[in-house]
Amino acid sequence: TKSPFTVDVTHTRARFRRTRRTRGTHLPVNTLRPSTMAQDGCQPMERFAFAKNGSAQKSWAFCPSSRAPEYNGGAHPPGGVRGGTYEQRPYSVSGYVNGYNPSLPAYPPTRAQLEAQAAAARRPSPTGGRSGEISEMMSRQVEFERARAAGKPSHMPPPPGQDFSKLSESYNGGMSYSGHGAWDGPAPRGDPSKPAPGTPYYVKTPPEPVHDPSKEERTVPLGVGVDMGRLPMLGVDSAHAAKGLKLGYRHVRCGSASSDKNLIDAGAAVASAIASGVARKSIFVSAKIAPGEMANPESACDAVLKELGVDTLDLLSVEWPVGGADAVRDCWRKMEALVDAGKTVAVGLCNASVPVVESVCKDARIKPVVNEVEAHPLMAQRKLVGVCRRYGVVPAANAPLGSSAVETESSPLLAHPKMAEAMAVVGEGKPPGQTREQILARWSVQRGVPLVVDAGACDAAVEAIARCHDFRLLNAQKASVDAMEPPPRVGGTRFVQPPPGVDFAFDDPFLGGVARPGLELEKAGLL
């Protein structure tokens, strides 16, 4: 008669109708702490001794092997608790980790595994004829149970795939695992053309793009759905009109009739260029309306046309949008009439913030095509540039060189340390004799923002910028110039200020555009 404190392992496993059987062993309950996986896939509780309050305790009641009569409802030690305690239960379904049982083969046998099993099959097995790596592991576990039941010193074999005693250093300095065929050698590196894990993305210096001047975009289209001409990427102030047109500039930016004293000379330069064979439609002539002329833009436009000696302007812009939203709206209605009358092809804005651009674009019948603002590495206007493009307005850069009234050594922009780094970069494609002005102009061109050389720029700067289509900034140069931009919270450096007597204040650059709740909370002091 069997003792009530013994378990027939063969009988217990046979109750689950498994095809594979092992030799029956009668072991006392208080000494049977199985270390092998049960036939139903449950893991031995001994492997989860560290999880006293973990998932092993929560799942042991659902393990079929732990619900066997010998442990739950069957015979139990005198004075014991029916079914035993958590520590007395031998198995736990926690052997399954995310649906995967580490004691079972994770993948179909590999070629190396098949070869290892074939080699083992040719050798006499010491465990009753079993062959193959998995079978050998099961045999070692059965031998461990027998030795433990007999009171012999033994060590619990590691789970399949975790026999780190077979981990050894390979000939190439890596680690090789010979326990089974699933992994034999270092992990694969993957695509050799991509960075290895743990290394920077750019393992090597990225190649410099090949610059082809013949494919350079020298103009940008104006208008959305309506052809309103094309704005050249490079322009000059009316003070440099004669020299600029000879150097290849095709945009002459003029001021208002009340403030620009170079209109007559600029008109003469345009006429001379046309006489030399340059088509009038290839020369882009723009003018502005001063704050005092916003009430009557038609007379201001007529005065500019008379001074320049041309019949039509390509662009007429509001120089300083002052007086509030109503004043700007009334001025814009009158400027739209000038487009209808053929006195100007398009209308635009200058020094307009994001809220002004949004307001004008929502109310206007004829949308603005250009917003000329101060833009350089110390005042990149990234949000404003993005909003303008979203509304179909071309952002143009005024004062791309910063303040032209100071020497290079004292200019915050030209004498910036990052500018010195950009000048020191060497590489194929960098033109000989490259100047700081060329770098700043090319930086604006590469970001797709047309620019106008100021009236205060020297002739050497005008000549140098005229050649900025012939080269491209090297990657290191572009990175250095981009690094000049201060953090948004700090704000940029403005060189252009409203003229005396003009009541104009620059808006917060964070106003308008897409709502940013986090920024509002930060302003309110809640973050």
Side-chain angles (χ1 to χ4, degrees), residues 298-317:
E298 184 176 4
S299 61
C301 181
D302 291 340
V304 171
L305 292 175
K306 181 180 179 181
E307 293 281 342
L308 289 174
V310 297
D311 298 329
T312 304
L313 292 174
D314 295 284
L315 176 66
L316 182 64
S317 303

Side-chain angles (χ1 to χ4, degrees), residues 160-231:
Q162 302 182 32
D163 188 0
F164 298 109
S165 63
K166 299 182 179 181
L167 191 64
S168 60
E169 187 171 0
S170 60
Y171 68 92
N172 58 357
M175 302 303 292
S176 176
Y177 180 68
S178 58
H180 56 76
W183 173 44
D184 189 7
R189 294 181 58 87
D191 189 349
S193 64
K194 295 183 178 180
T199 60
Y201 181 77
Y202 287 118
V203 179
K204 299 180 180 179
T205 303
E208 297 287 349
V210 178
H211 179 68
D212 186 354
S214 63
K215 297 181 180 179
E216 184 84 358
E217 287 289 343
R218 299 175 186 266
T219 60
V220 293
L222 300 179
V224 179
V226 181
D227 184 11
M228 292 188 173
R230 298 183 70 90
L231 177 66

Side-chain angles (χ1 to χ4, degrees), residues 375-393:
H376 45 73
L378 292 181
M379 180 64 69
Q381 305 272 23
R382 296 190 182 276
K383 179 175 181 178
L384 180 59
V385 169
V387 171
C388 287
R389 287 172 173 167
R390 190 158 61 245
Y391 280 95
V393 180

Side-chain angles (χ1 to χ4, degrees), residues 412-489:
L413 186 60
L414 298 177
H416 197 282
K418 291 296 181 180
M419 177 59 69
E421 292 182 9
M423 289 288 294
V425 174
V426 295
E428 185 179 357
K430 181 179 178 180
Q434 189 180 63
T435 65
R436 287 174 166 83
E437 291 81 4
Q438 282 182 321
I439 292 178
L440 291 176
R442 183 63 202 183
W443 176 83
S444 183
V445 170
Q446 281 190 207
R447 67 191 297 236
V449 177
L451 61 94
V452 175
V453 182
D454 301 327
C458 62
D459 291 344
V462 176
E463 295 175 1
I465 294 176
R467 300 190 299 270
C468 72
H469 280 303
D470 300 335
F471 69 95
R472 176 186 175 88
L473 291 181
L474 302 179
N475 294 335
Q477 288 183 306
K478 180 68 163 53
S480 296
V481 177
D482 286 339
M484 295 171 62
E485 181 182 4
R489 262 295 149 215

Side-chain angles (χ1 to χ4, degrees), residues 279-300:
R280 168 63 182 92
K281 64 179 181 179
S282 66
I283 302 177
F284 193 92
V285 180
S286 65
K288 298 179 182 179
I289 295 179
E293 302 170 341
M294 291 177 61
N296 190 6
E298 184 176 4
S299 61

